[in-house]
Amino acid sequence: MASLNQAKFLIAALLWFAGTAAGAENITLESTTSTEQSGLFAHLLPLFKKASGVDVKVVAVGTGQALELGRRGDADALLVHDQAAEEKFVAEGFGLKRYPVMYNDFVLIGPKTDPAAVRGSDIVIAFRKISAGNAPFISRGDKSGTNSAEIRYWTTAGLASRRGSGYKECGCGMGPALNIAAASGAYVLADRGTWLAFKNRGGLTVLVEGDKRLFNQYGAIVVNPAKHPHVKTALAQQFVDWIVSPTGQAAIASYKIGGEQLFFPNASQ
């Protein structure tokens, strides 16, 4: 009887150890609120887990904060959308390599009544009209990739320091910014993916799209273990290799809402 109990104990211990070891196969991915709130990760990560056995814990913040957390070693990999900042991150030695992954575009959202008469395909003209009319505008103000793009448009419009009395910063993610805009009848710059997934649209609609300056590129980076030896480099690289592979790229392309594709793969470019 004792030997049988010992055998049972050994089997239980082995099962516990196997489960613990399996649980150790995980990485932390710092990414954007747009990729999280659009539902993309809920679509992609189960497919990656099935292929690899690796769990991915996503921390969704603005791109600027994601890069800063990467610099501190609080991530194994990044998936963000501010190419200039990403290239600087790699050049400073914090990342191994930047991989282009996918793109979509930014769109200017606003009330269907369009009180500032911005409707069209020129984002700079639209921003000038918003400023001139002191129209309500919600800025994320969070150093995200979307916020960085917005600042570029204000600067190109010659309005870096004067954006109208209706300009307000929320210091929040894309979803909350859209909620505030919907509640207040304001304009807001958004990535198309989050907008398509957004349910609380109220009286909002897309007013400006199609400007080539609205192109929105996403890149993936493995954090450099030379800076932070605890980084799970092999597992993080496994994730990046998968997302830029034909399988991962097809998974990105297959994610749609209402028949409309949210992200377009471009790892080969």
Side-chain angles (χ1 to χ4, degrees), residues 41 44 79 101 220 238-245 248-249 252 267:
F41 284 135
L44 287 183
L79 181 59
V101 173
Q238 188 176 354
F239 170 73
V240 172
D241 289 344
W242 180 83
I243 206 168
V244 300
S245 73
Q249 294 280 280
I252 291 168

Side-chain angles (χ1 to χ4, degrees), residues 44-88:
L44 287 183
L45 297 186
L47 299 174
F48 174 65
K49 173 69 180 293
K50 184 177 180 180
S52 66
V54 178
D55 279 310
V56 179
K57 176 189 174 184
V58 176
V59 179
V61 292
T63 286
Q65 187 177 350
L67 291 166
E68 184 56 36
L69 290 168
R71 285 187 174 89
R72 287 171 14 196
D74 292 336
D76 300 300
L78 310 173
L79 181 59
V80 287
H81 64 140
D82 186 344
Q83 185 168 347
E86 295 160 37
E87 290 171 348
K88 183 173 185 286

